[in-house]
Short mmCIF file of all heavy atoms in Angstrom, two decimals:
data_model
loop_
_atom_site.label_atom_id
_atom_site.label_comp_id
_atom_site.label_asym_id
_atom_site.label_seq_id
_atom_site.Cartn_x
_atom_site.Cartn_y
_atom_site.Cartn_z
N ALA A 449 -10.12 67.99 -79.18
CA ALA A 449 -8.87 68.70 -79.44
C ALA A 449 -7.91 67.84 -80.25
O ALA A 449 -7.29 68.32 -81.22
CB ALA A 449 -8.22 69.10 -78.11
N LEU A 450 -7.76 66.57 -79.88
CA LEU A 450 -6.89 65.66 -80.63
C LEU A 450 -7.41 65.47 -82.05
O LEU A 450 -6.63 65.39 -83.01
CB LEU A 450 -6.80 64.31 -79.92
CG LEU A 450 -6.06 64.31 -78.58
CD1 LEU A 450 -6.21 62.95 -77.90
CD2 LEU A 450 -4.58 64.64 -78.77
N ASP A 451 -8.73 65.40 -82.19
CA ASP A 451 -9.33 65.25 -83.51
C ASP A 451 -9.05 66.48 -84.37
O ASP A 451 -8.68 66.36 -85.55
CB ASP A 451 -10.84 65.04 -83.35
CG ASP A 451 -11.54 64.74 -84.67
OD1 ASP A 451 -10.94 64.03 -85.51
OD2 ASP A 451 -12.67 65.22 -84.87
N LEU A 452 -9.19 67.67 -83.78
CA LEU A 452 -8.97 68.90 -84.54
C LEU A 452 -7.53 69.04 -84.99
O LEU A 452 -7.24 69.18 -86.19
CB LEU A 452 -9.37 70.11 -83.69
CG LEU A 452 -9.12 71.48 -84.35
CD1 LEU A 452 -10.04 71.68 -85.54
CD2 LEU A 452 -9.29 72.61 -83.34
N LEU A 453 -6.60 69.01 -84.03
CA LEU A 453 -5.20 69.25 -84.37
C LEU A 453 -4.54 68.05 -85.01
O LEU A 453 -3.74 68.20 -85.94
CB LEU A 453 -4.43 69.66 -83.10
CG LEU A 453 -2.95 69.99 -83.28
CD1 LEU A 453 -2.75 71.09 -84.33
CD2 LEU A 453 -2.33 70.40 -81.95
N GLY A 454 -4.88 66.85 -84.56
CA GLY A 454 -4.22 65.66 -85.06
C GLY A 454 -4.75 65.16 -86.39
O GLY A 454 -4.02 64.51 -87.15
N ARG A 455 -6.04 65.46 -86.68
CA ARG A 455 -6.64 64.90 -87.90
C ARG A 455 -7.22 65.98 -88.82
O ARG A 455 -6.89 66.05 -90.00
CB ARG A 455 -7.75 63.91 -87.53
CG ARG A 455 -7.29 62.73 -86.69
CD ARG A 455 -8.43 61.76 -86.46
NE ARG A 455 -8.09 60.71 -85.52
CZ ARG A 455 -8.30 60.77 -84.22
NH1 ARG A 455 -8.90 61.84 -83.70
NH2 ARG A 455 -7.96 59.77 -83.42
N LYS A 456 -8.11 66.80 -88.28
CA LYS A 456 -8.91 67.68 -89.13
C LYS A 456 -8.09 68.80 -89.76
O LYS A 456 -8.26 69.11 -90.95
CB LYS A 456 -10.08 68.26 -88.33
CG LYS A 456 -11.03 67.19 -87.77
CD LYS A 456 -11.62 66.33 -88.86
CE LYS A 456 -12.50 65.21 -88.34
NZ LYS A 456 -13.62 65.63 -87.52
N VAL A 457 -7.21 69.43 -88.99
CA VAL A 457 -6.41 70.53 -89.55
C VAL A 457 -5.47 70.04 -90.65
O VAL A 457 -5.43 70.62 -91.74
CB VAL A 457 -5.65 71.27 -88.43
CG1 VAL A 457 -4.61 72.21 -89.03
CG2 VAL A 457 -6.63 72.07 -87.57
N PRO A 458 -4.68 68.98 -90.43
CA PRO A 458 -3.76 68.55 -91.49
C PRO A 458 -4.39 67.75 -92.62
O PRO A 458 -3.73 67.49 -93.64
CB PRO A 458 -2.73 67.70 -90.74
CG PRO A 458 -3.45 67.19 -89.54
CD PRO A 458 -4.44 68.25 -89.18
N ALA A 459 -5.68 67.36 -92.50
CA ALA A 459 -6.31 66.49 -93.49
C ALA A 459 -6.30 67.10 -94.89
O ALA A 459 -6.54 68.29 -95.07
CB ALA A 459 -7.75 66.19 -93.06
N LYS A 460 -6.00 66.26 -95.86
CA LYS A 460 -6.04 66.63 -97.28
C LYS A 460 -5.24 67.90 -97.55
O LYS A 460 -5.70 68.83 -98.24
CB LYS A 460 -7.48 66.80 -97.75
CG LYS A 460 -8.32 65.53 -97.64
CD LYS A 460 -9.74 65.74 -98.15
CE LYS A 460 -10.57 64.47 -98.00
NZ LYS A 460 -11.96 64.67 -98.48
N GLY A 461 -4.04 67.95 -96.98
CA GLY A 461 -3.20 69.12 -97.21
C GLY A 461 -3.79 70.39 -96.65
O GLY A 461 -3.62 71.47 -97.23
N MET A 462 -4.46 70.27 -95.50
CA MET A 462 -5.09 71.41 -94.81
C MET A 462 -6.21 72.05 -95.65
O MET A 462 -6.46 73.26 -95.55
CB MET A 462 -4.05 72.49 -94.44
CG MET A 462 -2.98 72.01 -93.47
SD MET A 462 -1.84 73.34 -92.97
CE MET A 462 -2.92 74.39 -92.00
N ALA A 463 -6.90 71.24 -96.43
CA ALA A 463 -7.94 71.77 -97.32
C ALA A 463 -9.03 72.49 -96.54
O ALA A 463 -9.43 73.62 -96.88
CB ALA A 463 -8.55 70.64 -98.14
N GLY A 464 -9.55 71.87 -95.48
CA GLY A 464 -10.62 72.50 -94.70
C GLY A 464 -10.15 73.77 -94.02
O GLY A 464 -10.87 74.77 -94.00
N TYR A 465 -8.95 73.74 -93.48
CA TYR A 465 -8.40 74.92 -92.81
C TYR A 465 -8.27 76.08 -93.79
O TYR A 465 -8.59 77.23 -93.47
CB TYR A 465 -7.04 74.59 -92.19
CG TYR A 465 -6.47 75.71 -91.35
CD1 TYR A 465 -6.71 75.77 -89.98
CD2 TYR A 465 -5.71 76.73 -91.93
CE1 TYR A 465 -6.20 76.81 -89.21
CE2 TYR A 465 -5.21 77.77 -91.17
CZ TYR A 465 -5.45 77.81 -89.81
OH TYR A 465 -4.96 78.84 -89.05
N GLN A 466 -7.79 75.80 -95.00
CA GLN A 466 -7.61 76.85 -95.99
C GLN A 466 -8.95 77.44 -96.42
O GLN A 466 -9.06 78.66 -96.65
CB GLN A 466 -6.84 76.30 -97.18
CG GLN A 466 -5.38 75.99 -96.86
CD GLN A 466 -4.69 75.19 -97.95
OE1 GLN A 466 -5.28 74.88 -98.99
NE2 GLN A 466 -3.43 74.83 -97.72
N ILE A 467 -9.98 76.59 -96.51
CA ILE A 467 -11.31 77.09 -96.84
C ILE A 467 -11.80 78.04 -95.74
O ILE A 467 -12.32 79.13 -96.02
CB ILE A 467 -12.30 75.93 -97.03
CG1 ILE A 467 -11.95 75.12 -98.28
CG2 ILE A 467 -13.74 76.45 -97.12
CD1 ILE A 467 -12.73 73.83 -98.40
N LEU A 468 -11.62 77.64 -94.48
CA LEU A 468 -12.04 78.48 -93.37
C LEU A 468 -11.30 79.81 -93.38
O LEU A 468 -11.91 80.88 -93.23
CB LEU A 468 -11.81 77.77 -92.04
CG LEU A 468 -12.11 78.60 -90.79
CD1 LEU A 468 -13.58 78.97 -90.71
CD2 LEU A 468 -11.66 77.87 -89.53
N ALA A 469 -9.98 79.77 -93.54
CA ALA A 469 -9.20 81.00 -93.54
C ALA A 469 -9.66 81.94 -94.65
O ALA A 469 -9.73 83.16 -94.46
CB ALA A 469 -7.71 80.67 -93.68
N LYS A 470 -9.98 81.37 -95.79
CA LYS A 470 -10.46 82.18 -96.91
C LYS A 470 -11.82 82.80 -96.59
O LYS A 470 -12.08 83.98 -96.91
CB LYS A 470 -10.54 81.34 -98.17
CG LYS A 470 -10.91 82.12 -99.43
CD LYS A 470 -10.89 81.23 -100.66
CE LYS A 470 -11.26 82.02 -101.91
NZ LYS A 470 -11.24 81.15 -103.13
N GLU A 471 -12.70 82.01 -95.97
CA GLU A 471 -14.02 82.53 -95.60
C GLU A 471 -13.89 83.68 -94.61
O GLU A 471 -14.57 84.71 -94.73
CB GLU A 471 -14.87 81.41 -94.99
CG GLU A 471 -15.31 80.35 -95.97
CD GLU A 471 -16.40 80.82 -96.89
OE1 GLU A 471 -17.37 81.44 -96.42
OE2 GLU A 471 -16.29 80.59 -98.11
N ILE A 472 -13.03 83.52 -93.62
CA ILE A 472 -12.83 84.59 -92.64
C ILE A 472 -12.24 85.83 -93.31
O ILE A 472 -12.67 86.97 -93.03
CB ILE A 472 -11.92 84.10 -91.49
CG1 ILE A 472 -12.60 82.97 -90.71
CG2 ILE A 472 -11.58 85.26 -90.54
CD1 ILE A 472 -11.73 82.35 -89.63
#
Side-chain angles (χ1 to χ4, degrees):
L450 292 172
D451 186 37
L452 177 67
L453 181 56
R455 301 184 187 92
K456 300 301 176 58
V457 168
K460 299 181 181 179
M462 298 184 68
Y465 186 93
Q466 290 169 3
I467 292 170
L468 175 64
K470 185 177 180 180
E471 290 287 314
I472 296 175

